[in-house]
Amino acid sequence: MPAAPDPRAPGWSVGVDIGGTKVLAVLLGPDGQVARSHRTATLPGPDGLVASVTTAVRALTGVHGVPVDALAGTGIGVPGVVDPATGTVEHAVNVGVEQRFGLAAAVASMLGAGARVRLENDLNVAVLGAAHTVAPPSARRDLAFLALGTGVAAGLLLDGQLRRGSRRAAGEVGHLTLVPDGLPCKCGQHGCVEQYASGGALDAAWPSTDGRPAPLVLFEAAASGDPRAVEVRDRFAWAVAGAVRILVLTCDVDHVVIGGGVSGVGDPLLDAVRAALARETLASPFLASLRLADRVRLAPRDVPVGAVGAALVGRGEIV
Ligand SMILES: [Zn+2]
């Protein structure tokens, strides 16, 4: 029987994924496996975030008897514009932070001497966590994480490095035009991908009446043959396929991993997107040669990719 892992051994880290409503944290072992996870409600605002993160870190390390200063580090993923070099975040309106705030330093001072804290954007930690789950490891260098939530955006791992962009705007595919003169978007443009391929778009097109997530209700109605549901589903899948096509044609990533709330639909979503991609290849030998449908997959349900990616950032795997 193998010996139990020693929590004081080097290489343990904590990853904290801050979302609009919940904070999910994991304790990651030196073997890259999740030893324990912790979930709590997001307390918004600078002070709230510091409290949420430190509570999660203490809960995870306390149970395992890992001194915070013995950790390889703590990584935090936050939905906002992040400068990893300074550990600051701004424009994180969903979690109540607008002005630039030094979240990493604030958390480090709360955790005490010796704590190493690193900060990264939420999509960047998600793409790192998603890559961590892809086999074989040689296929982990070029990958996009396409988040279908309230909006649409992607995290990009290219040549094994995060692509953040000169203005931290790499991967904002949700605001590329999909439909000329289409639906107005909050960004000021019309016909953006986000207006057709997001969970928010599905909520508007097929409102849930029984409290369950709208995407789930829609895909069930389509599977049961409701012709209007089939139409809405197929248009949605066509729009998601458009985002996949953009990511593959601009970055030639090996995998586009679909995550975000809509991915909870599971295989029916994957099937619909692959079918939409296959339809597009019928008229284009060029697209057919790129095997788009084969590159799409869903984020694993059993691995919290954002928190795992944050833990990889925490132990300094990506700088
Ligand atoms: Zn837009």
Side-chain angles (χ1 to χ4, degrees), residues 234 236-242 270-281:
D234 288 353
F236 176 77
W238 165 80
V240 176
L270 186 60
D271 293 345
V273 173
R274 283 182 168 159
L277 288 165
R279 273 194 293 278
E280 291 174 358
T281 62

Side-chain angles (χ1 to χ4, degrees), residues 203-218:
D203 287 339
W206 198 268
S208 173
T209 54
D210 62 6
R212 292 185 303 145
L216 216 55
V217 176
L218 167 71

Side-chain angles (χ1 to χ4, degrees), residues 244-291:
V244 171
R245 193 179 61 233
I246 288 163
L247 289 166
V248 173
L249 291 182
T250 51
C251 300
D252 194 18
V253 284
D254 279 324
H255 302 290
V256 176
V257 178
I258 296 177
V262 182
S263 67
V265 168
D267 285 338
L269 170 68
L270 186 60
D271 293 345
V273 173
R274 283 182 168 159
L277 288 165
R279 273 194 293 278
E280 291 174 358
T281 62
L282 292 177
S284 170
F286 167 63
L287 281 183
S289 74
L290 294 175
R291 308 183 69 82

